[in-house]
Amino acid sequence: MKYAILTDIHANREAFEAVLADVGGRGVDRIVLLGDLVGYGADPEWCTEKAADLVAKGAICVRGNHDNAAAGAPEMMSTYAKRAMDWTKTRVTEAHRRFLAGLPMTVEEDGILFVHASANAPEDWTYVTSDTKATPSFRASKARLIFCGHVHVPLLASCDMGGMVRQQTFRVGFPIPLLRSRRWLAVVGSVGQPRDGVAQASWALLDTAINDLTFRRVPYNTAAAAQKVRAAGLPEELAIRLLKGQ
């Protein structure tokens, strides 16, 4: 089975559409959205409705902290994130809020756990930024594969039979064999607001038939997305992030 795993779309329609176009040519059986459909970007309505449509067609979608905030829950946020969320709340409808509030915190199937942030305490929105930060997720879950987002920077870690967790290097666009003698955790980089210095949308392709994972990058119209951010009156820094990928 092939899974397309997307996360942190952040109301960036241009990036979301570009990734879905890339997904469409790869024989994917199921799409997975790891949360943060909204926040930062200028198209929260479209991105939420597109996600709801995908879920209606069988996609998996879990809740992120920005989704939680847009649905009305109190969340601690940075200055830029809060300003964007205040604006987002004026755009989403009650139907959007119900959809976002109804998303599960985690989904597990066939030995794969999907979660927005750290698996050990999903509701705390802990960032998984290293092998050390990945260790609690491996201890909390028995899943062989764990996929999360939240960080906006891709990362891959493995846990051997003795419980030793190590961060793994990888090359974008090249399949990574997920050895069955280890368990694996992948932080999937952001679709809508990458922060690793590459101004391209990020997603991951999991093929369980041959047991490999490929991190992919997709160029999109960053200038158009940034201009929408400016036109909405959102902080200039959020537009610059899209152009710089950081």
Side-chain angles (χ1 to χ4, degrees):
M1 187 165 182
K2 288 186 178 181
Y3 292 88
I5 306 171
L6 290 61
T7 190
D8 295 277
I9 293 159
H10 282 300
N12 186 334
R13 177 174 180 169
E14 285 73 21
F16 198 4
E17 288 183 321
V19 168
L20 290 176
D22 194 34
V23 168
R26 304 195 178 277
V28 165
D29 299 294
R30 197 164 196 188
I31 292 174
V32 180
L33 307 173
L34 298 181
D36 277 2
L37 306 173
V38 300
Y40 296 128
D43 283 300
E45 309 100 302
W46 189 91
C47 290
T48 302
E49 289 164 12
K50 185 62 179 180
D53 179 61
L54 291 171
V55 169
K57 294 175 180 176
I60 292 170
C61 187
V62 299
R63 194 187 332 158
N65 55 307
H66 287 256
D67 306 323
N68 214 36
E75 292 289 348
M76 293 288 292
M77 290 188 163
S78 68
T79 300
Y80 293 135
K82 186 179 185 306
R83 284 179 60 187
M85 184 51 58
D86 289 343
W87 177 86
T88 297
K89 288 178 179 178
T90 70
R91 301 295 297 269
V92 295
T93 66
E94 182 58 32
H96 295 141
R97 287 189 286 271
R98 284 197 303 270
F99 172 74
L100 295 171
L103 294 173
M105 294 298 293
T106 65
V107 171
E108 185 169 355
E109 67 172 37
D110 299 327
I112 309 170
L113 176 67
F114 301 109
V115 60
H116 180 65
S118 182
N120 63 300
E123 69 283 355
D124 289 343
W125 315 117
T126 301
Y127 291 93
V128 180
T129 55
S130 65
D131 45 12
T132 301
K133 294 291 188 179
T135 299
S137 289
F138 284 116
R139 290 176 176 169
S141 172
K142 297 183 183 298
R144 196 180 79 83
L145 306 176
I146 302 170
F147 289 93
C148 59
H150 194 41
V151 181
H152 297 218
V153 177
L155 177 143
L156 183 66
S158 69
C159 180
D160 65 21
M161 296 177 67
M164 178 65 70
V165 178
R166 294 183 177 86
Q167 191 166 328
Q168 302 291 330
T169 59
F170 60 88
R171 294 176 64 190
V172 171
F174 289 83
I176 305 155
L178 300 179
L179 303 178
R180 293 193 178 276
S181 58
R182 301 177 183 178
R183 298 165 62 213
W184 298 85
L185 180 149
V187 181
V188 182
S190 173
V191 170
Q193 198 194 80
R195 296 180 188 168
D196 58 354
V198 181
Q200 297 181 349
S202 182
W203 69 283
L205 177 64
L206 171 67
D207 190 332
T208 60
I210 57 177
N211 204 42
D212 68 20
L213 176 69
T214 306
F215 288 90
R216 295 190 55 78
R217 301 306 287 256
V218 182
Y220 72 95
N221 193 339
T222 55
Q227 180 54 36
K228 282 185 177 180
V229 167
R230 293 180 174 121
L234 294 167
E236 174 65 15
E237 179 64 25
L238 299 182
I240 293 172
R241 280 184 184 177
L242 300 182
L243 300 174
K244 293 185 175 181
Q246 59 187 27

